[in-house]
Amino acid sequence: RFLPQVQSLAYRCNKSVNLLIEGEEVLIDKILLEQLQTPLSHLINNALSHGIELPSERLAHHKPEQANIKLCASIDNHQLKILIQDDGQGIDLYKVYQKAKEKGLISSKLTFDKLSQEAILEWIFYPNFSTVDMASELSGRGVGLDIVRNKIQKLRGTIEVKSEDQKGTTFTI
């Protein structure tokens, strides 16, 4: 169900993206799957709008022109585990830090080098938080990741994020 979404968004963003799906054989309760639809859609949209670069930018960083987004389901210790992983530019941690300072989420005395990646990435889950200066139809509205986290928590789940500069971002549910 996510293939048409990715194809349509990639076309509108002028990006070349391949959606890889792994774990199709994993059995998931239909009601749970329906409740995960919105969070997964948000994460895929974010990968396309924030993470994946334009083909020319990817080539400039010696990456293939076509980006990959991987959606992977597995069972780990009797729990459903879902990964949404892209091979884009990663999350700009300094930009997140700057926006958090601007919004008053942290003291202006707290310096970037004193914070862990985990602490910085936590701010992307705050309501009305966006690092995009101009809103578009896909990004910059500051809604999304707080909704994603709330929906997952209502399902008694957790969400974690890891990001590496020019390597990509992985969300683990």
Side-chain angles (χ1 to χ4, degrees), residues 117-136:
Q117 182 186 72
E118 293 79 21
I120 293 169
L121 289 174
E122 186 63 27
W123 292 315
I124 67 174
F125 292 102
Y126 276 57
N128 302 315
F129 191 91
S130 179
T131 58
V132 176
D133 294 323
M134 286 284 291
S136 73

Side-chain angles (χ1 to χ4, degrees), residues 148-166:
V148 167
R149 177 174 270 172
N150 287 337
K151 286 196 176 267
I152 291 168
Q153 286 175 339
K154 284 181 184 171
L155 296 171
R156 295 179 306 187
T158 60
I159 184 167
E160 296 174 359
V161 60
K162 295 206 182 314
S163 187
E164 192 173 344
D165 188 45
Q166 295 308 318

Side-chain angles (χ1 to χ4, degrees), residues 14-18 47-48 51-69 86-90 166-168:
N14 295 316
K15 296 179 180 180
S16 179
V17 181
N18 183 35
L48 264 160
I52 303 297
E53 315 93 329
L54 291 169
S56 60
E57 293 168 351
R58 290 182 63 80
L59 290 173
H61 284 100
H62 309 290
K63 293 180 173 181
E65 191 173 357
Q66 185 175 51
N68 289 305
I69 297 174
D86 69 66
D87 65 353
Q89 60 193 344
Q166 295 308 318
K167 301 281 186 200

Side-chain angles (χ1 to χ4, degrees), residues 19-170:
L19 178 65
L20 307 165
I21 299 174
E22 294 179 5
E24 293 171 294
E25 73 285 351
V26 174
L27 297 177
I28 301 172
D29 179 81
K30 187 174 183 175
I31 294 170
L32 178 61
L33 185 59
E34 288 301 319
Q35 291 174 338
L36 286 169
Q37 177 73 30
T38 299
L40 293 176
S41 289
H42 272 291
L43 292 171
I44 290 170
N45 286 356
N46 277 0
L48 264 160
S49 62
H50 292 289
I52 303 297
E53 315 93 329
L54 291 169
S56 60
E57 293 168 351
R58 290 182 63 80
L59 290 173
H61 284 100
H62 309 290
K63 293 180 173 181
E65 191 173 357
Q66 185 175 51
N68 289 305
I69 297 174
K70 182 168 35 170
L71 176 59
C72 180
S74 62
I75 300 296
D76 185 16
N77 207 17
H78 302 289
Q79 294 210 329
L80 174 63
K81 182 177 182 178
I82 300 174
L83 294 177
I84 296 92
Q85 185 174 48
D86 69 66
D87 65 353
Q89 60 193 344
I91 297 171
D92 185 336
L93 297 175
Y94 191 73
K95 196 172 192 179
V96 172
Y97 164 77
Q98 287 294 103
K99 286 290 183 175
K101 264 178 55 173
E102 285 173 24
K103 290 185 166 285
L105 299 176
I106 55 169
S107 164
S108 59
K109 296 175 186 172
L110 191 57
T111 60
F112 177 74
D113 60 331
K114 300 278 191 240
L115 295 164
S116 67
Q117 182 186 72
E118 293 79 21
I120 293 169
L121 289 174
E122 186 63 27
W123 292 315
I124 67 174
F125 292 102
Y126 276 57
N128 302 315
F129 191 91
S130 179
T131 58
V132 176
D133 294 323
M134 286 284 291
S136 73
E137 67 178 283
L138 292 178
S139 64
R141 297 176 309 277
V143 292
L145 291 180
D146 62 319
I147 292 169
V148 167
R149 177 174 270 172
N150 287 337
K151 286 196 176 267
I152 291 168
Q153 286 175 339
K154 284 181 184 171
L155 296 171
R156 295 179 306 187
T158 60
I159 184 167
E160 296 174 359
V161 60
K162 295 206 182 314
S163 187
E164 192 173 344
D165 188 45
Q166 295 308 318
K167 301 281 186 200
T169 302
T170 302

